[in-house]
Amino acid sequence: MLFRPGSLANSLPLSIPPATRNKLEKIGILRPIDLALHLPLRYEDETCIVKIAQLNEGQGAQIEGEITHSEVMFRPRRCLIAQVQDDSGILYLRFLNFYPSQQKQLAIGKNIRALGETRTGYFGLEMVHPKCSAVTQASPLKKQLTPIYRTTAGLTQRTLNKYIQTAIKELTLDDTISLPLRSKIKLASFAESVQFLHNPPPQVNEQSLLDRTHPAWQKLKFDELLAQQLSMRVHYKKRFSYRAPPLFNQEKYKGQLLQLLPFKLTAAQKNTLYEISEDLSKPHPMHRLLQGDVGSGKTIVAVLTALQAIENGYQVAFMSPTEILAEQHFLKLSEWLTPLGIHLGWLTGSLKKNEKKTVLNGISDGSIQLVIGTHALFQEQVTFHNLALMVVDEQHKFGVQQRLTLREKGIAPHQLIMSATPIPRTLAMSYYADLDISTINELPPGRTPIITRLVNNARREEIFERVRETCLAGNQAYWVCPLIDELSIGNPETLQLQTLLETHQQLTLAFPDLRVSLIHGKQDSGIKAATMAAFKAGEIQLLVATTVIEVGVDVPNASIMVIEHAERMGLAQLHQLRGRVGRGVAQSVCVLLFQQPLSELARARLKIIYENTDGFEIARQDLNLRGPGELLGARQSGAPMLRFADIVQDEKLLDLAKAVADEMLNDYPQDAQAHLQRWLANKQDYLHA
Ligand code: ADP
Ligand code: MG
């Protein structure tokens, strides 16, 4: 016996050869139970033979016939082509890489079975790299679908299958959800589902296995989602065991600032502020995500939050993803807070040594009450006098990693994380369930909706007139050049810069009557700051920029934005960029230049951004289009992606898992523990983050 029945062992048995163990570990199989949870990617059907004449293009099938021709050809490149015939027709088998043994197997006159996907090839119907086997008098057909697993080099399907089969035979695959709860949720049992997916019986409905709607898949997906929910809830609750300074609402500075502002808060801003304020007054750290569409006014909410900490005599750190945004915030916050007598500091990587020293001193002796900066705020030399609140702007990608850094420094401050774009419900429910969420669900009044235009790059010069008119009428324009990933074979940064410089040159020539300037991430920070200040002051009319201006930049007088190569950009990024205009009273336009030919994905993205202005809707469609991976960014490192469940497709299971997780933690804590152990015990950072 390889595994002890019911084994909860945390490592694979030593009787598995070390080389094999290493390979298993490579694909995430560290414990016996992981073998059972290594579910098939797909299935191959070797239960029947299909006549060649009945083959459908694009479909997998197994055929049987005699080799009537076999030859190494150079059309279009070196490959082995064999012609196989049955009593209904002829099919070609193509091998781009092959061994002499394969040539022998496919010699004229041999009888073979070939399993693969049919497509139209050079000579007619063909299979590329089919799985071939010799047929003898009595080669029985398989009785059931053959599971195909994710594997790694040197670990064959056969070996993997052998260990999986042993594991599911020997382990006790008890349900971790005990009966009273299980009878409520009406899903198949764990053991049966695992057995079924690894050994689907003959005559099973293949489609429900492939699209994972079969009850066995539903059960496994549910269990996976449940583990995620449990882990997030445990993580969430753990926070209440840490202490943080309670920050009471003192109304000392807040009222003053509100009086100074040229606008009134929207109802949504007031509501979120109330939620945050309540949370801060508790003696454990707040971890709250503040989400709202581009331009919904998150900054002022964050600043009022900061004031609550300062009123209580504590320090606040305000972190921005880019230097340009940090600088903008510094200017804005100075304007708002200096009149109240609050001392601000500013820290980025590019500060001169002396300046840096002064700021670091101010942070450690407490004379700086609010410090604004980039990731530099996380560096080792930074010692806070009494940090109580960390605001992280425009970055829902702010990951578990940074939080760990904070924790390691021995502080558990309150944290307000502002997401750059809205987060769809299912994503918030799954990957952000460890955070509390406040949502600003309306824009300040008086905004004119932005008009979006899609323009073929071949007609870019037609846009010039529009830009000129806008600028001559007293407004300003952005011209954005993105990162050019696909072309960056040599040095990406140099190439991007070169494209940007060329565009800048072209536009300078095209607009001799306008003041055109340039900004990008590689510039000296003094130059960047001066350029932004000049643009803000209206001295620059047309600003050529990289996507460094993507987040946060706030110049209400800018009313037209042209984005080059919009087809290469993600939706969140396009929406963010577009949000840089439409901030003032003038009618704003965003021109998306695209380059033909468009991929299907690019076309879908452009359609979505063209048809929608609501960031929540765009985010939802983005999730449908790309899945959570891209939207999560750095979060991924802390939260393993779901392997089986899909938060869009399995939304109902997610809702159910959330409800069950709460009940399980309250009423069946031991089951919850066992379930986490089964699914996540080998994902250490996730559990302890
Ligand atoms: P975002 O949510 O994208 O970070 P900002 O905080 O930059 O948005 O706010 C966008 C603009 O709207 C800023 O110029 C800000 O001063 C302004 N603003 C914020 N709240 C209001 C309000 N209640 N009424 C009018 N303007 C507002
Ligand atoms: Mg912002």
Side-chain angles (χ1 to χ4, degrees):
M1 189 167 275
L2 190 57
F3 307 110
R4 275 180 295 118
S7 168
L8 279 178
N10 262 327
S11 56
L12 293 168
L14 295 175
S15 50
I16 299 180
T20 308
R21 274 206 314 269
N22 283 339
K23 287 183 184 121
L24 289 170
E25 280 169 16
K26 233 184 189 167
I27 52 174
I29 298 173
L30 309 178
R31 309 164 299 163
I33 187 70
D34 295 333
L35 281 163
L37 295 177
H38 196 72
L39 299 173
L41 285 176
R42 59 190 176 86
Y43 299 89
E44 278 177 354
D45 188 354
E46 296 172 278
T47 63
C48 61
I49 303 284
V50 176
K51 292 276 178 219
I52 289 177
Q54 249 94 65
L55 287 174
N56 288 325
E57 195 165 341
Q59 249 170 29
Q62 175 168 254
I63 59 107
E64 185 177 309
E66 185 184 335
I67 302 289
T68 48
H69 189 85
S70 181
E71 163 176 17
V72 176
M73 286 192 173
F74 293 87
R75 266 180 292 166
R77 52 180 266 215
R78 183 171 186 269
C79 57
L80 171 66
I81 305 266
Q83 181 184 306
V84 57
Q85 187 170 357
D86 68 6
D87 58 17
S88 76
I90 289 174
L91 176 76
Y92 294 89
L93 310 179
R94 179 192 295 274
F95 297 84
L96 301 171
N97 309 301
F98 51 90
Y99 298 105
S101 61
Q102 274 170 305
Q103 260 174 296
K104 230 185 250 167
Q105 186 186 41
L106 299 174
I108 295 176
K110 299 265 183 185
N111 277 307
I112 59 127
R113 274 188 198 148
L115 175 83
E117 199 171 284
T118 313
R119 63 166 207 179
T120 305
Y122 203 73
F123 306 104
L125 276 189
E126 68 174 22
M127 285 181 183
V128 180
H129 288 189
K131 182 168 152 190
C132 293
S133 53
V135 190
T136 53
Q137 277 296 314
S139 302
L141 284 168
K142 291 221 168 136
K143 291 249 168 12
Q144 58 185 49
L145 296 176
T146 316
I148 304 296
Y149 298 100
R150 187 168 71 82
T151 185
T152 181
L155 182 65
T156 62
Q157 290 290 332
R158 187 194 293 264
T159 310
L160 188 51
N161 192 33
K162 184 183 83 184
Y163 286 117
I164 289 173
Q165 293 298 338
T166 315
I168 62 176
K169 207 175 294 151
E170 295 180 0
L171 299 177
T172 329
L173 302 170
D174 288 338
D175 226 292
T176 41
I177 311 169
S178 51
L179 213 53
L181 251 182
R182 210 181 334 145
S183 57
K184 251 195 248 178
I185 59 177
K186 298 193 176 65
L187 288 170
S189 90
F190 179 72
E192 278 169 25
S193 301
V194 167
Q195 296 287 358
F196 183 94
L197 293 174
H198 289 295
N199 293 308
Q203 268 87 50
V204 64
N205 172 0
E206 198 178 341
Q207 200 50 43
S208 72
L209 275 187
L210 292 182
D211 61 25
R212 303 189 172 182
T213 51
H214 191 280
W217 267 123
Q218 296 287 305
K219 165 64 178 172
L220 268 298
K221 291 199 281 192
F222 173 82
D223 275 17
E224 181 182 44
L225 287 166
L226 179 62
Q228 188 198 40
Q229 289 296 311
L230 285 172
S231 147
M232 288 278 181
R233 289 315 284 176
V234 168
H235 192 170
Y236 179 89
K237 289 192 170 160
K238 201 165 166 195
R239 179 148 47 91
F240 296 90
S241 64
Y242 296 117
R243 295 199 63 77
L247 307 171
F248 301 106
N249 188 5
Q250 317 241 6
E251 289 299 346
K252 181 175 166 200
Y253 293 124
K254 280 197 220 169
Q256 288 182 41
L257 176 58
L258 287 172
Q259 289 217 310
L260 286 174
L261 287 178
F263 53 77
K264 285 204 160 51
L265 295 186
T266 61
Q269 285 172 316
K270 283 185 196 157
N271 288 341
T272 53
L273 203 56
Y274 177 77
E275 287 171 356
I276 296 168
S277 176
E278 285 290 291
D279 215 358
L280 285 179
S281 66
K282 311 235 166 76
H284 26 251
M286 167 180 88
H287 282 188
R288 190 170 280 273
L289 182 77
L290 175 61
Q291 66 162 346
D293 207 346
V294 182
S296 60
K298 295 184 286 287
T299 316
I300 186 65
V301 172
V303 170
L304 289 162
T305 303
L307 287 181
Q308 187 159 328
I310 295 170
E311 282 168 355
N312 281 270
Y314 288 97
Q315 286 178 304
V316 177
F318 205 111
M319 194 193 89
S320 300
T322 66
E323 214 164 282
I324 291 180
L325 183 54
E327 170 109 26
Q328 289 247 314
H329 278 327
F330 183 63
L331 295 174
K332 187 103 211 175
L333 269 56
S334 300
E335 183 190 317
W336 282 342
L337 302 183
T338 316
L340 308 185
I342 292 170
H343 293 278
L344 277 71
W346 142 258
L347 185 73
T348 67
S350 63
L351 276 192
K352 301 217 173 61
K353 234 185 174 160
N354 283 344
E355 298 169 322
K356 196 169 190 175
K357 211 169 151 204
T358 315
V359 179
L360 288 176
N361 285 339
I363 296 174
S364 66
D365 69 19
S367 59
I368 291 178
Q369 293 162 287
L370 190 157
V371 58
I372 296 156
T374 55
H375 278 84
L377 290 173
F378 282 113
Q379 282 162 8
E380 277 168 37
Q381 320 100 291
V382 187
T383 335
F384 286 91
H385 178 64
N386 60 358
L387 180 73
L389 171 69
M390 177 90 208
V391 177
V392 183
D393 190 22
E394 296 294 357
Q395 210 170 20
H396 67 252
K397 290 183 175 178
F398 179 75
V400 171
Q401 199 49 49
Q402 282 104 328
R403 300 227 202 118
L404 287 176
T405 318
L406 266 181
R407 174 98 43 82
E408 276 160 19
K409 297 182 90 171
I411 26 179
H414 299 283
Q415 292 180 33
L416 184 69
I417 298 161
M418 288 189 270
S419 84
T421 41
I423 296 165
R425 189 189 81 100
T426 52
L427 198 61
M429 250 178 83
S430 46
Y431 293 95
Y432 293 88
D434 58 331
L435 302 176
D436 290 298
I437 301 183
S438 290
T439 306
I440 305 182
N441 56 7
E442 65 178 331
L443 293 179
R447 299 263 166 92
T448 14
I450 306 165
I451 296 172
T452 302
R453 297 210 186 292
L454 295 174
V455 177
N456 190 324
N457 190 48
R459 297 172 44 200
R460 60 190 279 134
E461 286 180 17
E462 292 172 25
I463 304 303
F464 288 9
E465 218 29 58
R466 188 72 202 247
V467 170
R468 174 174 286 117
E469 274 168 28
T470 304
C471 292
L472 293 181
N475 286 98
Q476 290 161 279
Y478 294 102
W479 197 292
V480 183
C481 305
L483 259 171
I484 303 175
D485 283 338
E486 290 95 310
L487 297 176
S488 53
I489 306 151
N491 182 334
E493 275 166 12
T494 323
L495 203 68
Q496 183 196 6
L497 201 58
Q498 191 186 325
T499 320
L500 181 76
L501 296 176
E502 279 167 18
T503 308
H504 176 234
Q505 197 171 30
Q506 185 197 25
L507 295 174
T508 311
L509 287 174
F511 300 109
D513 46 343
L514 297 184
R515 295 181 300 274
V516 183
S517 199
L518 176 72
I519 193 165
H520 60 80
K522 288 280 160 271
Q523 280 168 330
D524 191 74
S525 56
I527 294 181
K528 275 190 280 197
T531 307
M532 271 327 290
F535 189 61
K536 252 197 145 138
E539 289 152 21
I540 294 167
Q541 291 167 291
L542 172 60
L543 185 62
V544 183
T546 52
T547 48
V548 289
I549 57 135
E550 174 183 342
V551 288
V553 172
D554 185 32
V555 180
N557 193 46
S559 67
I560 184 165
M561 167 172 285
V562 182
I563 304 179
E564 301 241 20
H565 288 297
E567 80 281 359
R568 290 182 186 159
M569 284 196 239
L571 276 172
Q573 193 173 32
L574 284 173
H575 183 61
Q576 270 297 316
L577 279 168
R578 182 169 64 179
R580 299 307 114 213
V581 292
R583 296 182 160 241
V585 277
Q587 171 68 65
S588 291
V589 182
C590 178
V591 179
L592 305 177
L593 289 175
F594 63 88
Q595 184 92 50
Q596 298 271 30
L598 288 177
S599 71
E600 205 148 310
L601 181 65
R603 194 178 293 274
R605 277 202 292 240
L606 290 177
K607 184 168 186 292
I608 293 171
I609 197 82
Y610 177 70
E611 288 176 352
N612 295 282
T613 49
D614 176 359
F616 284 91
E617 182 55 25
I618 292 172
R620 200 183 61 76
Q621 298 201 25
D622 201 11
L623 180 64
N624 290 354
L625 208 59
R626 293 189 302 172
E630 309 266 329
L631 284 100
L632 285 166
R635 248 189 176 249
Q636 265 180 57
S637 58
M641 302 299 290
L642 294 165
R643 285 187 290 164
F644 311 124
D646 173 314
I647 57 172
V648 176
Q649 209 183 320
D650 301 314
E651 192 173 347
K652 284 212 179 92
L653 289 176
L654 175 60
D655 283 323
L656 185 61
K658 183 174 192 290
V660 172
D662 282 333
E663 196 167 341
M664 218 168 158
L665 281 175
N666 285 331
D667 303 341
Y668 310 93
Q670 277 169 350
D671 288 1
Q673 203 46 50
H675 194 77
L676 281 170
Q677 192 65 27
R678 171 172 287 174
W679 282 87
L680 292 175
N682 59 1
K683 310 252 165 32
Q684 290 304 326
D685 23 329
Y686 189 37
L687 285 178
H688 299 302

